[in-house]
Amino acid sequence: MSDQGTPPRMRRGSAREAKRAQRLAHAAQSVPFITRKIPLYEVLDEEGLALIEGNADTILEEVGIDFHGEEEAPAIWREAGADVQGERVRFPRGLCRSIIQKSAPREFVQHARNPARSVAMGGRNVVFAPAYGSPFVRDLDQGRRYGTIEDFRNFVKLAYASPYLHHSGGTVCEPVDLPVNKRHFDMVYAHMRYSDKPFMGSVTHPLRAEDTVEMAKILFGEGYLDPASGKPRTVITSLINANSPLTFDATMLGALKVYARNNQACLVTPFILAGAMAPVTIAGACTVTLAEALAGLAFVQLLNPGAPVIFGSFASSVSMQSGAPTFGTPEPALVLYTMAALARRLGVPFRSGGALCASKLADAQAAYESANTMLPTCLAGANFVLHTAGWLEGGLAMGYEKFVMDADQAGMMHTLLLGVDLSENGQALDAIREVGPGKHFLGCAHTQANFESAFYRSPLADNNSVEQWEAEGSKDMAQRANAMWKRMLREYEAPAIDPAVDEALLDFIQRRKASFPDSNV
Amino acid sequence: MSDQGTPPRMRRGSAREAKRAQRLAHAAQSVPFITRKIPLYEVLDEEGLALIEGNADTILEEVGIDFHGEEEAPAIWREAGADVQGERVRFPRGLCRSIIQKSAPREFVQHARNPARSVAMGGRNVVFAPAYGSPFVRDLDQGRRYGTIEDFRNFVKLAYASPYLHHSGGTVCEPVDLPVNKRHFDMVYAHMRYSDKPFMGSVTHPLRAEDTVEMAKILFGEGYLDPASGKPRTVITSLINANSPLTFDATMLGALKVYARNNQACLVTPFILAGAMAPVTIAGACTVTLAEALAGLAFVQLLNPGAPVIFGSFASSVSMQSGAPTFGTPEPALVLYTMAALARRLGVPFRSGGALCASKLADAQAAYESANTMLPTCLAGANFVLHTAGWLEGGLAMGYEKFVMDADQAGMMHTLLLGVDLSENGQALDAIREVGPGKHFLGCAHTQANFESAFYRSPLADNNSVEQWEAEGSKDMAQRANAMWKRMLREYEAPAIDPAVDEALLDFIQRRKASFPDSNV
């Protein structure tokens, strides 16, 4: 006997079955974010983590960070006690850490316009958001092409309809059909209108960050300010990438300043491809990442003590043969485990990971690489997971099929992160007593009582016999995903919005767009 | 700026590059097994694990295990202190555990005919073996068909040529073109002749187990006996599946007795599809698995105290809709983490996992599911990983493309399991000092000194630009894998064997085959 077995079959699908699936999907949809119950996984011990921290301090002290073209930074840093020479800022050991630990919140809530969808960032919480930033999109019907605002809206709708994505994300793809200097209006509006999940703001120019904040004020109305503190509620999280290695540029810092001063969350992310922006070693990549994050996070706290921040790490390797970015390999997973632990020691929420891959297609390469990133992301304890769904081709393309496939994997992570049920029902001793040797459990009372919610049920995996699979057209997962995203878009219904708010948003956009000429810079 | 980046390119492939790849492949080939350096991951704490152990004891005491049709078992168990009623054996609490802990080795070596390929089972060691037991094979050219002895030999050759598979496995596919009662001769011979890695024995009949032992005696000659102890060296590991739930059948027990009494390793594996052979809960599946394993492992120790054993767990779920087995879902991963911890507490080597999937094809489903099994396998601390490569369709088919794709993933696990290099070179502080803000690391001295071995290099992942990928035919990973396994078979060279040994093996087989008629039972 080998490891193959064909258990007795239960009766096949029916209308009742379809109803059950609906109920389950509904139940899943009501979780605004995950609170993990399983332990964290760490690869380095106390000594190893302290070594990386010490090295990051050495780099901050000896080499420093360039705050490129940022007018306020020199005075702010000098005032804080750093050594400023032109754009280069060098930091006494421990300075950045102490600034961050003095005021940065360990956890914060990003409010959604639907309060039931607000997300808690940090601690044991996990928030999944779609992929971000692709100029191209890909689907099985039309192949690869530049993204448009229609694609953008489609991905917002798909994320809204996905029970396992908690966040609407930001630049879910670049709407290349719109002018560069005005597309942020349509992007932010799409998140506000076609979803009621939390979203991200524009970072490509300080004025665009200000537009995002203004639109948020319209959307949230009186709810924008917290009546207790009188301060703005955090309703936007925005991605501030370092220009690695060891540099922040004026554009990103400009957006950072707008968001920080408005109490909106800054996700400060060193963008590290080891071998290019950092040494070819794991410890080296971690050191550069930590040094950059410390400087960026501390800068936010100097601008507005207490402003919410997330410590981001985007890390992978480059191929030492071609220089191309690679994903899903073991080295970035080791960086991820290490960085998550370092962020915990610092005491701020952590972002990393997602369903990263280098593959051009939603094929086996894409899936191996995505799973090899997503599982470490969840085990390491990432709090905010950008790029959970859709990522292809090193982020150059957003895939429709890949999106729903990854969202299915995000569903699996929901189950994984909840761990093992050790209740009496979970132990199921009576079921084992009842069935006994050589019998099967399909019909026993415990199975009947639990089977609806017993196992994660993938809408895309085909577990049927090969004969049935062939009768249904021998489709691979990407082909099944193609049917699924189309059905989701067909069945999509926009969340309700106060017509007056919608009108005010559209009016704001119209006035702002009319106030300056289109440009693609 | 988003998370996309295109680092500077290095110069492209060359003859020098090809030589480097060869050197690397050679270096990898010299690792006979992995000794893990990263920490283990566990999902349950001491209390949770003790609860499962207590429940397993309760099942062993109250319900018991059927030793079906096994003539010696009743007397052996009665003698050991168990309560025997016909075929049903009930065990005083702790009896099985104490029998196992009294004599079962915590670690053992399975010797290969090439001593450089012997593997250490248990402890921090990890051994990868191919998938096992499929009646069908699949490749892109011929689709799905029954396996033949030619396929069997091909998979033995591919495993031999794979630097990341340490073990030749057993029934790498069923050679359905040979009579059932004689195919074991050709299978065992193929492992002995076309590989020099360790292998598994026949378990489908006690006489076939004896044939396997006889052939091993011929192959190892004088080396079969350990001169120090006078006992046989362990040169065969064999898969003894329980007929779950809570039953061992006479066939498996017959093979187990032969191997145990010859000091060959028994891999005792409860075969659990939760919902069919166990309750629909994780804790319930773990309880049944542990109870069965305890009884089976203790039986080996009663037969021959000190005989090498491995605690196996093959666990997945069935679809509660169709009854079909499912793989790569979160529940079996949670079972895997739990069982690995329970095996460590028992103090015996552990087998589980592999690249399990339900997909019919080497598509994204196959890859997601395989990665979602393989990564937990490695983090949980499995020592022997059957089904590392090739598994498709719930084990019904062995895939040629899937085989080389999974072997690539096994390569990644080699790097992952070695963890983070914290040496001075690993820390790379001087490189960060040298490059500084805003520059890149591709040309720096540290990168030049380390780039050959810096990152795991997949032979199958395509990381090139979309333009180059299109110019090369827009191939998906399975298509690239198709070219790879064909090249590996073309370039395969059999390891040398003493012609006298080969002749003796062939002579033994011929005589044995002639001594009884063919049969397909």
Side-chain angles (χ1 to χ4, degrees):
Chain A
M1 193 193 300
S2 68
D3 278 352
Q4 289 68 31
T6 308
R9 299 262 153 173
M10 297 189 72
R11 74 197 178 305
R12 302 205 50 79
S14 65
R16 204 175 136 205
E17 173 49 35
K19 269 192 198 158
R20 265 190 213 116
Q22 272 185 335
R23 274 205 305 280
L24 280 175
H26 182 75
Q29 216 146 6
S30 68
V31 181
F33 55 89
I34 306 167
T35 302
R36 63 182 297 131
K37 293 185 181 166
I38 61 172
L40 298 160
Y41 182 66
E42 299 194 357
V43 293
L44 290 190
D45 57 14
E46 158 69 28
E47 195 185 351
L49 295 170
L51 180 70
I52 306 271
E53 288 172 342
N55 286 348
D57 266 354
T58 299
I59 295 305
L60 287 171
E61 183 182 34
E62 292 181 18
V63 181
I65 302 276
D66 279 355
F67 282 72
H68 191 61
E70 218 301 296
E71 293 179 4
E72 293 184 87
I76 291 172
W77 277 118
R78 208 169 276 129
E79 169 75 19
D83 167 34
V84 182
Q85 310 278 344
E87 299 185 326
R88 180 72 56 90
V89 183
R90 291 185 179 80
F91 311 82
R93 299 186 80 85
L95 175 68
C96 293
R97 176 172 298 266
S98 76
I99 292 169
I100 295 163
Q101 292 182 332
K102 201 181 298 169
S103 58
R106 300 184 75 90
E107 299 187 27
F108 68 91
V109 172
Q110 181 185 351
H111 296 273
R113 73 168 168 105
N114 176 352
R117 305 239 195 242
S118 295
V119 295
M121 303 277 202
R124 299 185 72 79
N125 305 312
V126 184
V127 174
F128 290 145
Y132 184 110
S134 305
F136 298 96
V137 298
R138 181 184 279 276
D139 68 49
L140 279 184
D141 306 294
Q142 299 181 66
R144 184 186 193 259
R145 59 194 192 279
Y146 275 108
T148 64
I149 189 65
E150 191 189 339
D151 292 308
F152 190 101
R153 291 180 190 129
N154 283 342
F155 285 112
V156 169
K157 292 173 182 178
L158 289 172
Y160 173 70
S162 296
Y164 304 119
L165 293 172
H166 313 115
H167 201 282
S168 195
T171 309
V172 288
C173 68
E174 279 289 344
V176 173
D177 53 339
L178 299 181
V180 166
N181 67 337
K182 294 185 180 171
R183 63 177 67 148
H184 64 288
F185 294 111
D186 302 82
M187 293 159 76
V188 172
Y189 177 75
H191 285 300
M192 291 177 163
R193 181 65 194 91
Y194 301 113
S195 183
D196 62 2
K197 297 183 179 180
F199 61 89
M200 302 174 79
S202 177
V203 293
T204 52
H205 193 286
L207 288 175
R208 296 173 200 155
E210 283 178 11
D211 285 329
T212 306
V213 172
E214 289 308 308
M215 289 175 71
K217 287 179 183 169
I218 297 170
L219 181 70
F220 284 86
E222 288 185 359
Y224 180 72
L225 292 181
D226 180 355
S229 66
K231 287 201 303 184
R233 283 204 168 95
T234 299
V235 298
I236 308 164
T237 294
S238 298
L239 176 62
I240 309 294
N241 274 1
N243 200 346
S244 306
L246 306 178
T247 305
F248 286 91
D249 68 32
T251 302
M252 282 284 155
L253 289 171
L256 177 150
K257 291 197 296 184
V258 170
Y259 288 120
R261 287 175 166 148
N262 283 284
N263 201 40
Q264 302 306 317
C266 289
L267 168 42
V268 179
T269 303
F271 175 77
I272 300 290
L273 297 173
M277 295 82 151
V280 289
T281 60
I282 294 156
C286 291
T287 300
V288 174
T289 301
L290 180 59
E292 293 178 7
L294 284 168
L297 296 168
F299 190 59
V300 172
Q301 295 307 308
L302 291 175
L303 288 164
N304 182 9
V309 288
I310 302 175
F311 182 144
S313 168
F314 181 96
S316 201
S317 313
V318 294
S319 160
M320 287 287 107
Q321 289 64 60
S322 67
T326 63
F327 295 95
T329 48
E331 294 85 1
L334 292 166
V335 172
L336 209 167
Y337 292 125
T338 303
M339 294 316 305
L342 291 167
R344 272 191 296 279
R345 285 160 68 94
L346 186 58
V348 290
F350 178 66
R351 166 251 161 155
S352 194
L356 308 183
C357 66
S359 186
K360 269 53 82 180
L361 299 171
D363 67 343
Q365 179 184 344
Y368 279 122
E369 292 177 342
S370 295
N372 281 341
T373 311
M374 194 60 188
L375 201 47
T377 301
C378 291
L379 296 180
N383 300 116
F384 183 62
V385 184
L386 199 57
H387 310 315
T388 299
W391 174 284
L392 283 175
E393 208 188 302
L396 289 176
M398 183 75 164
Y400 278 86
E401 288 80 20
K402 180 79 173 3
F403 189 95
V404 294
M405 288 157 60
D406 288 335
D408 178 26
Q409 295 296 309
M412 298 204 193
M413 296 302 114
H414 277 69
T415 297
L416 181 74
L417 288 164
L418 294 185
V420 181
D421 171 13
L422 291 178
S423 70
E424 204 164 304
N425 184 62
Q427 293 177 56
L429 261 185
D430 283 345
I432 307 174
R433 286 191 183 101
E434 174 192 340
V435 173
K439 307 291 191 336
H440 73 75
F441 286 73
L442 288 172
C444 80
H446 182 267
T447 300
Q448 290 302 314
N450 288 279
F451 83 95
E452 284 199 22
S453 60
F455 302 126
Y456 176 77
R457 192 184 301 181
S458 165
L460 287 174
D462 186 298
N463 304 307
N464 293 325
S465 68
V466 73
E467 291 77 14
Q468 185 169 348
W469 172 77
E470 284 171 353
E472 290 172 3
S474 301
K475 288 186 183 131
D476 68 14
M477 184 179 251
Q479 291 171 301
R480 296 190 295 274
N482 181 267
M484 182 170 169
W485 68 258
K486 288 176 181 169
R487 188 174 64 245
M488 287 171 74
L489 286 183
R490 248 188 344 261
E491 296 175 357
Y492 166 83
E493 287 179 38
I497 192 167
D498 179 342
V501 168
D502 193 28
E503 205 175 308
L505 282 170
L506 292 170
D507 181 59
F508 172 83
I509 292 170
Q510 198 182 1
R511 279 187 294 113
R512 286 283 295 134
K513 278 190 176 177
S515 70
F516 57 100
D518 292 1
S519 157
N520 275 322
V521 181
Chain B
M1 193 195 299
S2 69
D3 278 352
Q4 290 68 31
T6 309
R9 301 262 153 173
M10 297 188 73
R11 74 194 180 305
R12 301 206 50 78
S14 64
R16 203 175 136 204
E17 174 49 37
K19 268 192 197 157
R20 265 189 213 116
Q22 273 184 337
R23 275 206 304 280
L24 280 173
H26 183 76
Q29 215 146 7
S30 67
V31 180
F33 55 90
I34 306 167
T35 301
R36 63 181 296 132
K37 293 185 181 167
I38 61 171
L40 299 160
Y41 182 66
E42 299 196 356
V43 292
L44 291 189
D45 57 13
E46 158 69 29
E47 194 185 351
L49 295 170
L51 180 71
I52 306 269
E53 287 171 344
N55 287 347
D57 266 354
T58 300
I59 295 304
L60 287 171
E61 183 182 34
E62 292 182 19
V63 182
I65 303 277
D66 279 356
F67 282 74
H68 191 61
E70 217 303 297
E71 293 180 3
E72 293 183 88
I76 290 171
W77 277 118
R78 208 171 276 128
E79 169 76 19
D83 167 35
V84 182
Q85 310 278 342
E87 297 185 327
R88 179 72 55 92
V89 183
R90 291 185 179 79
F91 310 83
R93 299 186 81 83
L95 175 68
C96 293
R97 176 172 297 267
S98 76
I99 292 168
I100 294 162
Q101 292 182 332
K102 201 180 298 167
S103 57
R106 300 184 75 90
E107 300 186 29
F108 68 91
V109 172
Q110 180 185 352
H111 296 272
R113 75 167 165 105
N114 176 351
R117 303 238 195 243
S118 296
V119 294
M121 303 276 203
R124 300 186 71 79
N125 305 312
V126 183
V127 174
F128 291 144
Y132 184 108
S134 306
F136 298 96
V137 298
R138 180 185 280 275
D139 68 50
L140 279 184
D141 306 293
Q142 299 181 66
R144 184 184 192 261
R145 59 194 192 278
Y146 275 107
T148 65
I149 190 65
E150 191 189 341
D151 292 308
F152 189 101
R153 289 179 191 131
N154 283 341
F155 285 112
V156 169
K157 292 174 182 177
L158 288 173
Y160 172 70
S162 296
Y164 304 120
L165 294 171
H166 313 116
H167 201 281
S168 194
T171 309
V172 288
C173 67
E174 278 290 343
V176 173
D177 53 339
L178 299 181
V180 166
N181 68 338
K182 294 184 181 172
R183 61 176 70 147
H184 64 289
F185 293 113
D186 302 84
M187 293 159 76
V188 171
Y189 178 74
H191 286 299
M192 292 176 163
R193 181 66 193 90
Y194 301 113
S195 183
D196 62 2
K197 297 183 179 181
F199 59 89
M200 302 175 78
S202 177
V203 294
T204 52
H205 194 287
L207 289 175
R208 297 172 201 156
E210 283 178 12
D211 284 329
T212 307
V213 171
E214 289 309 308
M215 289 174 72
K217 287 179 183 169
I218 296 170
L219 181 70
F220 285 85
E222 288 186 358
Y224 181 72
L225 292 181
D226 178 357
S229 66
K231 287 202 303 186
R233 284 205 168 94
T234 299
V235 298
I236 309 164
T237 293
S238 299
L239 177 61
I240 309 294
N241 274 0
N243 201 346
S244 307
L246 306 177
T247 305
F248 285 92
D249 68 31
T251 302
M252 281 286 155
L253 289 170
L256 177 150
K257 291 198 297 186
V258 171
Y259 288 120
R261 285 174 168 149
N262 283 284
N263 201 39
Q264 302 307 317
C266 289
L267 168 42
V268 178
T269 303
F271 176 78
I272 301 288
L273 297 173
M277 296 81 153
V280 289
T281 60
I282 293 156
C286 290
T287 300
V288 174
T289 301
L290 180 58
E292 294 177 7
L294 283 168
L297 295 168
F299 190 60
V300 173
Q301 295 308 309
L302 291 175
L303 288 164
N304 182 9
V309 288
I310 302 175
F311 181 144
S313 168
F314 182 96
S316 202
S317 314
V318 294
S319 160
M320 287 288 105
Q321 289 64 58
S322 66
T326 64
F327 295 95
T329 49
E331 294 83 3
L334 292 166
V335 172
L336 208 167
Y337 292 125
T338 303
M339 295 315 305
L342 290 166
R344 272 192 294 278
R345 284 160 69 94
L346 186 59
V348 290
F350 178 64
R351 167 251 159 156
S352 193
L356 308 183
C357 67
S359 186
K360 269 54 83 179
L361 299 170
D363 68 344
Q365 179 183 343
Y368 279 123
E369 292 177 345
S370 296
N372 282 340
T373 311
M374 194 61 187
L375 200 46
T377 302
C378 291
L379 295 181
N383 301 114
F384 183 62
V385 185
L386 200 56
H387 310 314
T388 299
W391 174 283
L392 282 176
E393 207 188 303
L396 289 175
M398 185 75 163
Y400 278 85
E401 287 81 20
K402 180 78 171 7
F403 189 95
V404 293
M405 287 156 60
D406 288 336
D408 179 24
Q409 295 295 309
M412 298 204 193
M413 297 302 116
H414 278 68
T415 297
L416 181 75
L417 288 164
L418 294 185
V420 181
D421 171 13
L422 291 178
S423 69
E424 204 164 304
N425 185 61
Q427 294 177 56
L429 261 186
D430 283 343
I432 307 175
R433 285 191 183 102
E434 174 191 340
V435 174
K439 306 291 190 337
H440 73 74
F441 286 74
L442 288 171
C444 81
H446 182 268
T447 301
Q448 291 302 315
N450 288 279
F451 82 94
E452 285 199 21
S453 59
F455 303 127
Y456 177 76
R457 192 183 302 183
S458 165
L460 287 173
D462 185 299
N463 304 308
N464 292 326
S465 69
V466 73
E467 292 76 16
Q468 185 169 349
W469 172 76
E470 284 171 353
E472 290 172 2
S474 300
K475 289 185 183 137
D476 69 13
M477 185 179 250
Q479 290 171 302
R480 296 191 294 273
N482 181 266
M484 182 170 168
W485 68 257
K486 288 176 180 169
R487 188 176 62 245
M488 286 171 74
L489 287 182
R490 243 185 353 255
E491 295 176 356
Y492 165 83
E493 286 179 39
I497 192 167
D498 179 342
V501 169
D502 192 29
E503 204 176 310
L505 282 170
L506 292 169
D507 182 60
F508 173 84
I509 292 171
Q510 194 181 7
R511 278 186 296 110
R512 285 284 295 135
K513 278 189 175 176
S515 70
F516 57 101
D518 291 0
S519 158
N520 276 322
V521 180

